[in-house]
Amino acid sequence: MTRPLLSVVVPYYGVEAYLRDCLESIRRSTLDDLEVVLVDDGSPDDSVEIAREYVDLDSRFRLVQQDNAGLGPARNTGTAQASGDYLTFVDSDDLVPRRAFEQMVGSLEHSGSSFVLGNAKRFSRTSGVRQSWTHQRPCARDARATHVLEKPVLVMDRMVWNKVYRRSFWDEFGYAFPAIKYEDYPVTMAAHLDALTVDVLRTPVYYWRERESGDSITQQVFRYDNLLDRVVSAEQVLDLVDSRATPEVRRSTHDYLAGIDVVALAQAFAVVPPEDLDKTVELGTRLMGRLQFDIGKRPRFDQLQMHALRDGDAELLVELARFRDEGGLVGGGRITRNRAAPWRFDIGFPGRRRSSAPRKAFTIPTTSLKLRSTVDHVGWDGTTALVQGTAEITQVPIRDDSTLRVNLVSGIERIELPVERIDTTDQFSGRSRVGFRTRVDVPRLAAEHDLVWPVRFELDLDNGGVHRVAQLQGMRPGSPTYPDGAWLSPTEWVQPGKGPAGAFCLHRSPAPVTVESAAGEGDAIRLVVHSPYALNRADLEVRLPRGTLTFPAALSDDGRVAEVALPGAALATGDEPDDPFTLRATRAVRLETDLGSHQIVWPAHRRNAAVDADGRLIQLTRSPFGLVQLTHGPAFPAAVAARITPDRLVVEGRRWSSEPVQRITWRRFLPGTDDYVEIPCAVSDLGPEAGVGGAGDTGAVGWQAAVDPAALVPEHDAPSHPGAPAAYWTLFAELEQDGVQTGVQVICEPGLMAQLPAEVTTQGRHVTVTTAADSVHAQVR
């Protein structure tokens, strides 16, 4: 039997709801030369039937069964059965991008390193896909043949599953997972120290599920047995670095464990039952006694919890943890000016006269107060940009007598803009006058000033004697991340968006190539673009990971208009999705001409141009910066318009299947469970989609879903965490897939994203329609 190139070890236990998706993501890997060792760790559900299904379906899958022993021993069993030249591990509720194994093995084949690690993303049904905080810094840049001694930030890379190991390296050092939870970190740290070199990939190679139920091992952070294993794991890591690592790596590891594991242990006291209190205190003092780090460099509240842990003060630990759990740290905690020392502010944390922490832990200097801003809406009144956002100083409640100036910054020149102050949600999750609106008459200012592009916005806020000046930032999920642009003149396009250092800017594009029209017709998308220059040749290029698709364009007699047909079948063939969760791919599009290569601006975009190619929806859409790009993915219903009044919330959209959309609901997952509540919408089929905003794509049909916003107001507030909305809803559509009814998130097209958020007040509560992770949400505050 031929030795496989890569062995993939997948232990599973109680993951019937997730296992099939995990195994399917592995099966679709572009690296064919692999074996998948499935280890049934005495799973009590029907996971084994899914495992057997894949063993029968694909000869590369093998099943090994054992009595329940835990994740670490199950991984050891799988490793013993694996025979590949390389070795990797996948947790059974997670997903792997198609090219991940190929990219990681290819890196090792090129570099000769001991193992390779890659970036990771987190995903869930409510929050979509986002960057994993744990991997953001270690995987910020590609690095080949590096080492933890050279890059101490790699001590944060504690997981085993975002890696491929050279099997000879693994066997040389005889790694084995301990029979505890948090078994990854001791093995990962040992491998980092033992490695000759390691490779680092910035691209995401792993999708890490965040369960709504909170029942994965890493989410059960506050149970005593989990805390004990966490401390044991930390001690094993400390044994390694204290005996073998450089001072810098030791210091980085101690600091990292203090900021993550100690904080998690301290916060457990919010829910520790009385019978576990004393032994949990012992765990805390045990870990604190082992760590060497500067408590004074930690955030103020962390300092209080760490001093209480070191002192074994159970009463104060419980009080502090409950204070955080009940929202005491929302907005960083409210502060008041210290009368005796007006250059300092007091924080109302518990334990002021009982904690052994220095008095300064209950105060903060004025210099630590920063101006915090968001961008909440961007629109246009003709050629006048309308910008709405928030401006507040961290931890300082806004006062009625506060003053705010907004300047447009052009090079070194500052141009004062009109400002209207408004009430909106503040940093403490209340309502106050932190909001503002301003207007920018772009043509008038361009005529009066020699504008230096991109132009920025500067906020100048004086609140209660605290004065701060900073750039307007805060483009975030829920913000208008796909804002519309406008014409400054017949040949100059202005596009709002992010600029240097995350600042919100207006960007100018002189003489862009633009879209005149785009629509799905039959089995192809027909795109017409306008060039400011006469062209002799033009081809449209769609850039794929493995090459480029080229489609010739027909030019008008004057060479300024190019028309091209993009056949859906050609675009869907041989290009699989990057994202194993959404099953969508995004590709760059350019117009290649005799005058060079051009990005294409889509000024009048209101909705995507789409065609259904055998169940995969091929779409021309726009990027956050207003540029044409191509996506393909499942032909799920998409929202293209929304409007809300105190008694009616209406979402309109498109579908491509022959079956009508029979059921659309607003779904809210209950905290700590996979259960959810639904509010059904009144659904209408609108027929050919001209009813939802213009000429329709062939085969698309419009739908409308309506609900009374008051129905979204919960009887009892259920925020997912302190400061979160009282209720957070996601729009779902129910489809039939392979004979099974499945709920899928309704996709939000960029044209609608540019118009959101939209807010209304009903029953004394604020209901906001917004978007995050390309889906439609409603939040209640």
Side-chain angles (χ1 to χ4, degrees):
M1 182 176 177
T2 305
R3 181 185 180 98
L5 183 62
L6 174 67
S7 294
V8 186
V9 175
V10 188
Y12 65 84
Y13 179 88
V15 288
E16 180 182 359
Y18 310 108
L19 184 58
R20 179 173 280 104
D21 289 342
C22 173
L23 300 186
E24 186 63 22
S25 74
I26 296 170
R27 192 177 76 86
R28 294 187 177 193
S29 170
T30 56
L31 182 69
D32 295 325
D33 190 5
L34 55 79
E35 65 172 355
V36 184
V37 182
L38 306 177
V39 182
D40 185 325
D41 189 34
S43 185
D45 60 3
D46 289 334
S47 296
V48 69
E49 299 304 322
I50 297 172
R52 287 176 177 146
E53 174 187 327
Y54 274 82
V55 170
D56 293 340
L57 176 68
D58 193 324
S59 62
R60 299 175 300 171
F61 286 69
R62 293 192 289 119
L63 176 61
V64 179
Q65 294 183 276
Q66 66 178 33
D67 293 336
N68 180 246
L71 181 55
R75 283 177 175 160
N76 294 336
T77 297
T79 301
Q81 296 289 325
S83 60
D85 294 329
Y86 297 97
L87 177 67
T88 192
F89 302 90
V90 176
D91 283 357
S92 51
D93 54 352
D94 296 337
L95 303 172
V96 182
R98 290 187 73 251
R99 282 179 286 276
F101 294 152
E102 179 184 5
Q103 290 169 328
M104 289 193 285
V105 170
S107 180
L108 292 179
E109 297 268 272
H110 183 272
S111 69
S113 289
S114 302
F115 67 92
V116 57
L117 61 106
N119 209 339
K121 291 194 173 184
R122 299 222 69 175
F123 71 98
S124 75
R125 291 171 292 184
T126 51
S127 59
V129 180
R130 65 190 190 281
Q131 172 65 46
S132 163
W133 175 86
T134 302
H135 300 90
Q136 186 169 6
R137 287 183 58 206
C139 301
R141 295 179 180 83
D142 289 334
R144 186 158 280 164
T146 186
H147 198 275
V148 69
L149 302 182
E150 180 181 313
K151 292 173 63 73
V153 71
L154 292 179
V155 303
M156 297 176 64
D157 173 50
R158 66 192 296 168
M159 311 302 184
V160 73
W161 33 243
N162 63 324
K163 301 172 178 63
V164 167
Y165 298 89
R166 199 175 293 277
R167 183 60 189 260
S168 58
F169 165 74
W170 187 275
D171 290 343
E172 178 184 355
F173 292 96
Y175 298 123
F177 295 97
I180 59 172
K181 302 179 183 74
Y182 299 95
E183 73 294 329
D184 297 52
Y185 204 6
V187 172
T188 300
M189 180 57 74
H192 269 297
L193 294 171
D194 292 332
L196 178 64
T197 60
V198 303
D199 297 347
V200 180
L201 301 182
R202 183 175 179 270
T203 186
V205 300
Y206 199 85
Y207 275 53
W208 181 14
R209 186 183 298 272
E210 185 174 38
R211 300 189 198 173
E212 277 76 16
S213 64
D215 61 358
S216 69
I217 290 172
T218 51
Q219 289 174 272
Q220 298 171 9
V221 293
F222 297 151
R223 283 174 33 183
Y224 176 76
D225 58 344
N226 203 49
L227 294 171
L228 175 61
D229 282 354
R230 189 164 195 153
V231 171
V232 170
S233 172
E235 290 171 336
Q236 293 180 0
V237 170
L238 292 170
D239 288 341
L240 288 166
V241 299
D242 289 350
S243 62
R244 299 176 50 194
T246 63
E248 188 175 2
V249 170
R250 287 200 300 272
R251 182 168 54 252
S252 296
T253 306
H254 282 249
D255 286 346
Y256 175 69
L257 288 170
I260 301 297
D261 296 66
V262 171
V263 170
L265 198 155
Q267 196 52 33
F269 285 91
V271 294
V272 165
E275 63 271 18
D276 289 342
L277 185 58
D278 289 343
K279 58 185 181 181
T280 305
V281 170
E282 291 176 4
L283 269 185
T285 55
R286 171 174 153 184
L287 183 56
M288 285 294 295
R290 183 66 192 273
L291 290 172
Q292 299 175 14
F293 65 99
D294 187 348
I295 295 181
K297 291 184 177 180
R298 303 301 310 168
R300 293 299 205 263
F301 192 80
D302 290 358
Q303 292 181 37
L304 301 182
Q305 290 187 307
M306 290 170 177
H307 278 280
L309 276 174
R310 191 174 61 183
D311 298 340
D313 189 338
E315 182 181 353
L316 182 55
L317 283 165
V318 170
E319 189 176 354
L320 289 167
R322 289 178 178 172
F323 176 82
R324 186 198 290 257
D325 219 34
E326 292 167 2
L329 291 188
V330 173
R334 293 175 183 266
I335 61 176
T336 56
R337 192 180 289 276
N338 187 298
R339 292 183 178 179
W343 57 90
R344 289 187 175 274
F345 286 81
D346 294 329
I347 318 176
F349 292 155
R352 175 178 289 272
R353 292 176 176 82
R354 293 174 289 131
S355 173
S356 65
R359 292 179 61 86
K360 69 178 183 179
F362 293 90
T363 66
I364 60 172
T366 306
T367 53
S368 70
L369 304 178
K370 310 297 182 185
L371 196 154
R372 174 184 183 270
S373 62
T374 67
V375 179
D376 295 332
H377 184 75
V378 180
W380 294 88
D381 180 6
T383 57
T384 297
L386 311 176
V387 179
Q388 179 175 312
T390 64
E392 50 193 326
I393 296 171
T394 53
Q395 299 181 261
V396 181
I398 202 76
R399 293 166 49 121
D400 289 339
D401 61 354
S402 64
T403 60
L404 174 67
R405 294 175 58 190
V406 180
N407 297 317
L408 190 72
V409 181
S410 169
I412 61 173
E413 184 181 11
R414 282 159 173 75
I415 307 165
E416 188 168 358
L417 301 173
V419 181
E420 175 190 359
R421 306 289 294 280
I422 57 175
D423 286 346
T424 189
T425 303
D426 61 25
Q427 60 187 310
F428 305 107
S429 295
R431 302 282 292 193
S432 62
R433 203 164 62 105
V434 299
F436 72 88
R437 296 190 185 103
T438 190
R439 301 168 60 90
V440 185
D441 186 339
V442 182
R444 180 181 65 80
L445 293 180
E448 295 175 356
H449 303 268
D450 187 14
L451 295 182
V452 179
W453 300 92
V455 292
R456 298 172 284 118
F457 293 78
E458 180 184 77
L459 304 176
D460 185 323
L461 177 62
D462 192 319
N463 183 33
V466 182
H467 179 227
R468 294 291 181 269
V469 178
Q471 294 184 103
L472 174 60
Q473 298 187 316
M475 295 291 285
R476 59 198 169 104
S479 294
T481 47
Y482 286 77
D484 287 333
W487 289 106
L488 173 62
S489 72
T491 60
E492 296 174 290
W493 177 253
V494 176
Q495 176 65 50
K498 282 187 179 181
F504 176 72
C505 297
L506 298 180
H507 303 261
R508 170 180 167 270
S509 297
V513 173
T514 57
V515 174
E516 283 197 357
S517 65
E521 298 180 7
D523 58 0
I525 297 174
R526 299 201 175 273
L527 174 68
V528 179
V529 300
H530 178 270
S531 167
Y533 312 105
L535 304 175
N536 294 315
R537 177 188 59 81
D539 298 312
L540 195 78
E541 288 192 351
V542 179
R543 299 186 175 182
L544 311 179
R546 297 183 180 277
T548 300
L549 294 178
T550 301
F551 302 93
L555 292 173
S556 61
D557 291 342
D558 64 1
R560 292 179 179 270
V561 177
E563 183 175 350
V564 61
L566 304 173
L571 295 166
T573 301
D575 182 27
E576 294 294 332
D578 306 309
D579 190 314
F581 177 57
T582 65
L583 299 179
R584 295 202 298 270
T586 301
R587 305 295 177 231
V589 175
R590 298 187 74 93
L591 190 70
E592 298 295 327
T593 75
D594 57 305
L595 298 180
S597 178
H598 306 273
Q599 294 177 318
I600 306 171
V601 173
W602 197 338
H605 179 275
R606 281 295 170 265
R607 58 183 187 168
N608 298 342
V611 62
D612 185 354
D614 295 327
R616 285 201 71 75
L617 192 63
I618 313 300
Q619 300 187 88
L620 281 184
T621 182
R622 55 155 292 194
S623 73
F625 207 68
L627 303 175
V628 173
Q629 58 187 17
L630 184 135
T631 68
H632 62 81
F636 292 161
V640 299
R643 54 187 180 272
I644 185 169
T645 65
D647 57 3
R648 188 170 171 81
L649 165 57
V650 177
V651 179
E652 294 181 343
R654 314 193 280 172
R655 62 173 175 82
W656 286 265
S657 67
S658 59
E659 297 297 323
V661 177
Q662 296 178 337
R663 181 173 165 80
I664 294 180
T665 64
W666 287 99
R667 181 179 295 185
R668 174 168 63 91
F669 285 88
L670 303 176
T673 174
D674 277 331
D675 296 333
Y676 53 83
V677 295
E678 287 186 324
I679 303 296
C681 298
V683 180
S684 305
D685 229 5
L686 301 179
E689 63 159 336
V692 285
D697 292 320
T698 302
V701 176
W703 53 262
Q704 182 184 91
V707 70
D708 184 346
L712 302 178
V713 177
E715 291 185 15
H716 305 286
D717 291 357
S720 59
H721 59 274
Y728 189 75
W729 301 88
T730 305
L731 194 63
F732 274 78
E734 196 166 285
L735 305 177
E736 183 172 310
Q737 295 180 313
D738 300 324
V740 178
Q741 292 295 117
T742 304
V744 299
Q745 289 174 294
V746 174
I747 303 303
C748 187
E749 288 198 3
L752 175 55
M753 292 184 197
Q755 306 305 313
L756 297 178
E759 184 177 275
V760 74
T761 302
T762 181
Q763 296 189 343
R765 308 300 289 271
H766 302 279
V767 180
T768 305
V769 183
T770 183
T771 180
D774 295 339
S775 52
V776 187
H777 300 273
Q779 59 184 31
V780 181
R781 291 188 180 272

